Amino acid sequence: SQQGEEDPQALSIQEGENATMNCSYKTSINNLQWYRQNSGRGLVHLILIRSNEREKHSGRLRVTLDTSKKSSSLLITASRAADTASYFCATDADQGGKLIFGQGTELSVKP
Amino acid sequence: GAVVSQHPSWVICKSGTSVKIECRSLDFQATTMFWYRQFPKQSLMLMATSNEGSKATYEQGVEKDKFLINHASLTLSTLTVTSAHPEDSSFYICSAWDRTNYGYTFGSGTRLTVV
């Protein structure tokens, strides 16, 4: 069963703008991860944030985690057309346990 | 880094036939493998979890007799879609837990089309 909800389901922005995607989950987690998927392709791991962390950065990516609200956000700054893809959050309750994915956000960055 | 090789990348089969999808961990031992299915414009749905040497654990609503999972070695897990029907057409992705590097590694996926 799906764990999380993501919003928005689809997001269209201009190159150079920032993109923010949100994810909510239902149960306790060990960590939360964000993945990217280009159309019809496999998944690319972007960033992992542990349950005891509140914010994490990686290049143009910034992830926040609020365990009290069971939510996370992914911010992509200075977006590029190449960032066009679907983005998914995924949670696991135990290290090495099953990953449950959110519904995903389809991001379109127009040049 | 850790790599999971998934084959085939795409396959077309006739209704009623069976299709086997393989996932191999190339440079680590995958004690646990996860199998997902993804329909167009949808998220990844976990189908089952397999541990090396034991029977797979299937998610609710997934037919174990239709989706046969074998995880006979620490580097190979297979998913066989038996008696495939057009509604089984989907994108299937495996994922392995790498306990050495504490991370999940995904295969590149298999596009199954049943005609």
Side-chain angles (χ1 to χ4, degrees):
Chain A
S1 60
Q2 290 304 110
Q3 162 82 297
E5 301 287 330
E6 289 187 57
D7 76 272
Q9 290 188 331
L11 178 62
S12 183
I13 59 175
Q14 294 294 131
E15 217 167 21
E17 294 180 341
N18 295 341
T20 300
M21 290 160 268
N22 303 296
C23 164
S24 62
Y25 55 93
K26 298 175 183 175
T27 61
S28 298
I29 62 171
N30 180 54
N31 61 56
L32 185 145
Q33 304 177 48
W34 284 90
Y35 289 85
R36 167 199 167 116
Q37 184 182 37
N38 286 69
S39 181
R41 307 289 290 275
L43 293 175
V44 175
H45 180 259
L46 294 177
I47 195 166
L48 178 151
I49 186 165
R50 301 190 189 287
S51 59
N52 61 353
E53 297 177 309
R54 292 297 167 258
E55 189 171 311
K56 204 161 183 180
H57 296 254
S58 177
R60 294 185 296 115
L61 304 180
R62 173 177 169 254
V63 169
T64 62
L65 179 64
D66 187 335
T67 53
S68 67
K69 295 181 180 178
K70 290 187 167 58
S71 67
S72 173
S73 68
L74 170 67
L75 168 67
I76 303 175
T77 60
S79 64
R80 306 166 182 166
D83 294 328
T84 295
S86 292
Y87 291 82
F88 297 94
C89 67
T91 57
D92 65 352
D94 304 299
Q95 193 171 64
K98 57 187 181 183
L99 273 182
I100 303 299
F101 284 80
Q103 299 296 326
T105 294
E106 194 171 340
L107 174 66
S108 174
V109 182
K110 301 187 185 307
Chain B
V3 174
V4 170
S5 175
Q6 183 170 349
H7 293 282
S9 56
W10 63 269
V11 58
I12 301 172
C13 71
K14 291 184 177 180
S15 282
T17 61
S18 296
V19 173
K20 180 184 284 188
I21 301 169
E22 288 190 353
C23 277
R24 291 181 184 273
S25 56
L26 298 186
D27 46 8
F28 67 100
Q29 293 184 333
T31 52
T32 305
M33 192 79 80
F34 305 93
W35 287 93
Y36 294 85
R37 178 170 53 180
Q38 184 181 33
F39 292 108
K41 300 289 187 182
Q42 294 188 24
S43 186
L44 282 77
M45 295 291 294
L46 180 66
M47 299 175 66
T49 302
S50 72
N51 291 296
E52 183 267 337
S54 61
K55 289 184 178 180
T57 302
Y58 290 80
E59 295 297 302
Q60 194 172 11
V62 178
E63 300 173 59
K64 61 178 70 174
D65 294 331
K66 180 169 184 61
F67 299 99
L68 302 179
I69 292 172
N70 185 284
H71 194 163
S73 78
L74 286 171
T75 59
L76 174 64
S77 178
T78 61
L79 167 67
T80 302
V81 183
T82 63
S83 187
H85 289 99
E87 56 264 33
D88 298 324
S89 298
S90 187
F91 192 59
Y92 293 86
I93 309 176
C94 63
S95 172
W97 167 249
D98 178 2
R99 60 183 177 184
T100 302
N101 295 302
Y102 292 100
Y104 298 90
T105 300
F106 284 81
S108 54
T110 297
R111 172 78 55 196
L112 170 64
T113 303
V114 185
V115 297

